[in-house]
Amino acid sequence: MSIIVAEGLVKQFPGEPRPAVAGVSFVVEPGEFIVLLGPSGCGKTTLLKLLNRLYEPTAGRLLIGGVDARGIPVTELRRGIGYAIQQTGLFPHLRVAHNIAVVPRLLGWARPRIEARIDELLALVGLPQSYRSRYPRQLSGGEQQRVGLARALAADPALMLMDEPFGALDAITRSRLQDELLDIQRKLHKTIMFVTHDVEEALRLADRMLVMREGQIVQFATPLTILTRPSDPFVEQLVGAEDALRQLSLMRVGAALTRRSSRAESTSAAATLPPLRLDDDLRTALAQLLSSGGDALPVFEGEREIAQLTLADMRAMLRRSTVAAPTALEPTR
Ligand SMILES: Nc1ncnc2c1ncn2[C@@H]1O[C@H](COP(=O)(O)OP(=O)(O)OP(=O)(O)O)[C@@H](O)[C@H]1O
Ligand SMILES: [Mg+2]
């Protein structure tokens, strides 16, 4: 069952000339990592706040887990939805452990269960147990973000709303936290709605990107589709599609392969296309893959099929290249 179904959601603030969210419809499946991308003021934050009912829609319908959100008591709804924001929203006068435990305490968990959960979450977000007794001001920005993430995860919500959670961080810390978040999401199968301004971050994290402009959805598709088939010049300009394609044309099939297949399994659609070679460029490979309609293409060395190249491989290559600059700055140990 879809975890989110939005049908014609509208949010009109009183006295505003135009609605902040102007009739959006979309469906999100459990376990998807959705990134909301769009210029400042396009309605990303408002849309997130509609999802956990910090705002009530002016019109439209919202189903969470198949149930009309209006029929779910707000406290119960929010219990199942983690919320992390850029300013972290940590309570300055509470120690780290207490900050993380806010929701479990609200829910009346027994003390040992809360303590165990704090241990588990600190480990998950990569903070030492000794930080339990620190105050937020005694942490770096990145560490505070981790605590914010731990807090959002505390009650094990199926759905996480994250509003530019890494916005204030330097490139290195940001890329580390992105990796950790991807890891966490894969491990725990969370559904994540993640807002960012940052195209590289969006490409790196998203299963699907929801691109917004002026309160509306202009495209909702995988990063690769958005890069290669932007729905209009706005999207194209926003994601710098040309740049990504240029990058792909500089990368080789051989460099993108993560594993070699043990047996030949060619797809029938691919059989009619010229075979891919290790030194073909990825832009060519992408064009072939898209025209094959499949999600993998066989790669040949001589007559022998040695691997399958997937969309995921190409995305991973793009990711690696987009983080190359920051990681190159990391001190070698
Ligand atoms: N409480 C409010 N009352 C009136 N107008 C609001 C309110 N909140 C947001 N808006 C307006 O609604 C529009 C969308 O705002 P929103 O915060 O959703 O944008 P955003 O996409 O999150 O932008 P940013 O990337 O800058 O965070 C803006 O024009 C904003 O001024
Ligand atoms: Mg915002």
Side-chain angles (χ1 to χ4, degrees), residues 32-35 159-160 162 181 185 190-194:
E32 279 196 295
F33 199 131
I34 307 293
V35 176
L159 175 60
M160 301 269 293
M162 309 187 76
L181 183 61
Q185 195 245 357
K190 301 288 177 206
T191 309
I192 299 182
M193 301 286 287
F194 184 106

Side-chain angles (χ1 to χ4, degrees), residues 73-108:
V74 168
T75 46
E76 192 185 317
L77 179 80
R78 296 212 192 121
R79 201 174 292 164
I81 303 180
Y83 189 45
I85 54 174
Q86 180 173 348
Q87 302 77 11
T88 73
L90 296 179
F91 299 112
H93 56 289
L94 298 184
R95 296 174 193 276
V96 163
H98 199 156
N99 260 293
I100 295 175
V102 165
V103 180
R105 279 181 171 220
L106 273 176
L107 299 179

Side-chain angles (χ1 to χ4, degrees), residues 198-224:
D198 178 342
V199 176
E200 308 299 352
E201 183 166 72
L203 292 172
R204 190 148 191 253
L205 295 174
D207 291 322
R208 288 195 292 158
M209 284 159 67
L210 196 155
V211 183
M212 290 183 73
R213 180 175 50 168
E214 294 174 4
Q216 273 163 340
I217 297 177
V218 279
Q219 191 166 15
F220 188 22
T222 65
L224 206 66

Side-chain angles (χ1 to χ4, degrees), residues 216-288:
Q216 273 163 340
I217 297 177
V218 279
Q219 191 166 15
F220 188 22
T222 65
L224 206 66
T225 303
I226 289 196
L227 283 174
T228 55
R229 297 172 181 174
S231 63
D232 66 10
F234 167 80
V235 178
E236 188 168 347
Q237 202 191 3
L238 187 72
V239 300
E242 278 310 310
D243 277 347
L245 284 177
R246 213 175 300 130
Q247 282 184 33
L248 281 178
S249 70
L250 297 172
M251 298 169 183
R252 304 289 144 209
V253 168
L257 293 175
T258 45
R259 71 216 160 274
R260 307 227 160 177
S261 44
S262 47
R263 66 200 161 82
E265 31 177 337
S266 47
T267 56
S268 54
T272 57
L273 293 162
L276 273 184
R277 305 276 165 194
L278 287 173
D279 57 358
D280 283 336
D281 71 80
L282 285 182
R283 186 177 177 144
T284 308
L286 176 65
Q288 288 194 24

Side-chain angles (χ1 to χ4, degrees), residues 13 16 20 38-46 55 164 197:
F13 290 108
E16 291 295 310
S40 186
C42 71
K44 304 180 295 294
T45 295
T46 306
Y55 294 148
E164 307 206 39
H197 272 103

Side-chain angles (χ1 to χ4, degrees), residues 19 31 44 47-48 54 66 84 113 134 139 141 145 165 178-179 198 211 217 227 260 277 279-280 292 296 308 313 328:
K44 304 180 295 294
L47 179 55
L48 276 202
L54 282 170
R113 184 174 171 207
R134 291 207 191 182
L139 305 177
Q145 299 279 357
Q178 288 168 354
D179 285 341
D198 178 342
V211 183
I217 297 177
L227 283 174
R260 307 227 160 177
R277 305 276 165 194
D279 57 358
D280 283 336
S292 79
Q308 295 264 330
D313 293 332

